[in-house]
Amino acid sequence: MRPGARELLGFAAVGVCAYAVDLGLFLWLRGPGGLGPMTAKTLSFAAGCTVAYAGNALGTYRRAAGAHASRLRQYAVFCAVNVAGALVQLTCLAVSHYGLGLTSRRADTVSGAVVGMALATVLRFWGTRTLVFRTRTTRTARAPQDAPDPRTAPGTGQATWTG
């Protein structure tokens, strides 16, 4: 199996587990837990993010170039990427529901849980591999071997005040 496909499958498997924790905990907190929807969703989202981070750090990206960097920093960036994904989903739902006037339960489900989730997953995958775990392939693509020395002025070869 190709490394890219293995990475995508690992990311998806971790995502399914995190989604199950998020949904299961949300339903429990709303039902027997007796919490309000916003508190329940906040707690379940935090639990889902934690499961997703642990699964990706210990599984999918355990061999990534920055896999053993500061775990606290990685976790914070990972949560920020996931919040950005949640905002994408909410934006899709808001545009459909309030902007386009598609207010049925089915339209809300399609816009938030299908279209929004698909776009958010692309953002989360990109953010996880480039901002959190920085895989070798993204590091190589970002810093080519023959890149100019950042301490020289562009096109001159002369040292800058910082170099």
Side-chain angles (χ1 to χ4, degrees):
M1 182 181 298
R2 293 176 34 202
R6 190 174 313 131
E7 177 184 1
L8 189 57
L9 285 173
F11 183 82
V14 167
V16 167
C17 292
Y19 178 74
V21 167
D22 185 349
L23 180 61
L25 185 58
F26 176 75
L27 293 173
W28 185 85
L29 290 172
R30 284 290 291 140
L35 296 179
M38 297 306 284
T39 303
K41 188 58 188 169
T42 300
L43 293 173
S44 71
F45 178 78
C49 275
T50 302
V51 168
Y53 173 75
N56 281 306
L58 301 173
T60 307
Y61 295 104
R62 70 183 173 276
R63 292 188 184 105
H68 301 292
S70 166
R71 296 287 189 192
L72 183 58
R73 180 206 165 277
Q74 281 183 336
Y75 182 67
V77 174
F78 187 83
C79 286
V81 167
N82 278 278
V83 166
L87 291 175
V88 166
Q89 287 180 265
L90 290 173
T91 301
C92 289
L93 178 60
V95 166
S96 171
H97 192 93
Y98 299 108
L100 301 176
L102 302 171
T103 58
S104 71
R105 190 178 239 172
R106 180 178 295 162
D108 286 349
T109 301
V110 168
S111 63
V114 177
V115 175
M117 179 63 88
L119 294 173
T121 298
V122 170
L123 174 70
R124 287 178 176 124
F125 181 69
W126 172 84
T128 298
R129 82 185 311 243
T130 58
L131 301 175
V132 180
F133 295 108
R134 298 183 186 183
T135 62
R136 285 179 183 89
T137 55
T138 57
R139 217 176 76 197
T140 303
R142 190 180 301 138
Q145 300 297 55
D146 52 358
D149 186 349
R151 295 172 294 174
T152 59
T156 66
Q158 300 293 318
T160 63
W161 66 274
T162 60

